Amino acid sequence: SSGINAEYGVETADAGASKHYPVQASSLKKGQHILIKGRPCKIDNISTSKPGKHGSAKCSFVAIDIFTGKKSEAISPGHANVDVPIVTRKEYLASGIDNAGFLNLYDEESGDMIEDIRLPEGDMGDKIKGMVDADAMCMVSVIRSMGEEKIIDVKEDNNKNY
C-alpha cells in the first residue's frame, strides 16, 4: 500500500480518530505492528502451531514495544482478529528548546508549531540540543501511536535552503 515507510513499516496516512483496527492474526508478518495488552509493539517473531484434533491453529507473537523497547508475547487463534495499532511517523524541523525542556518543532507540511514533545534524554537529546544550539537544520522523526509519541531519529538536513 502507499504511504508505508519501509524502515519502520509505518502508515503515514492519517487514519482518522481510530487508534487501532482489527486484522486476522494469521495474516500478520514480522515487522508489522500489533497491540499487546494495549501497548503498540513491532512483531519480532511469529510461530504458528498446527491445529489439534479439536481447535484451530494458534499464532504465537513475540513483539517489542515501540516506545519502551520491552519484549511482550501474545497467543491468538489464527482465525481470530487481533488489534493492530495505527502508527504514524513524521519529520519536523527542531527550531528551539524552551526552558521546560520542550522542543519547538515546525511541521513543514501544515506550518504548525508543535511544542508538546520533550527533548529526549541521553545521546539523542544531546545530539538534538547540540544541533539546535549550533543553528543546524535539525530534523527529528516522531512516531505516534495509541496517544503516545517518541522521537526515534534525528539528522541534519543540509539540503534545505531557506
Side-chain angles (χ1 to χ4, degrees), residues 10-22:
V10 171
E11 287 287 344
T12 50
D14 182 37
S18 174
K19 291 183 174 154
H20 56 81
Y21 56 95

Side-chain angles (χ1 to χ4, degrees), residues 118-159:
R118 196 175 279 284
L119 181 71
E121 294 178 5
D123 293 345
M124 178 107 58
D126 294 344
K127 188 173 174 187
I128 294 170
K129 186 168 179 355
M131 289 169 72
V132 168
D133 288 349
D135 282 335
M137 297 305 287
C138 177
M139 299 302 292
V140 297
S141 296
V142 177
I143 54 168
R144 289 190 173 87
S145 184
M146 302 301 291
E148 282 185 67
E149 54 204 4
K150 179 182 179 182
I151 294 175
I152 51 163
D153 192 28
V154 56
K155 64 177 188 274
E156 189 167 350
D157 188 348
N158 295 317
N159 309 328

Side-chain angles (χ1 to χ4, degrees), residues 3-63:
I4 289 206
N5 177 319
E7 190 183 351
Y8 284 90
V10 171
E11 287 287 344
T12 50
D14 182 37
S18 174
K19 291 183 174 154
H20 56 81
Y21 56 95
V23 171
Q24 190 170 326
S26 60
S27 71
L28 286 174
K29 294 178 177 46
K30 179 180 168 144
Q32 290 183 293
H33 295 94
I34 185 172
L35 270 186
I36 298 180
K37 299 184 189 88
R39 301 289 308 163
C41 300
K42 186 171 182 173
I43 299 171
D44 190 44
N45 188 25
I46 303 172
S47 51
T48 308
S49 65
K50 294 278 178 270
K53 196 168 173 187
H54 307 287
S56 57
K58 295 215 175 0
C59 296
S60 177
F61 298 97
V62 177

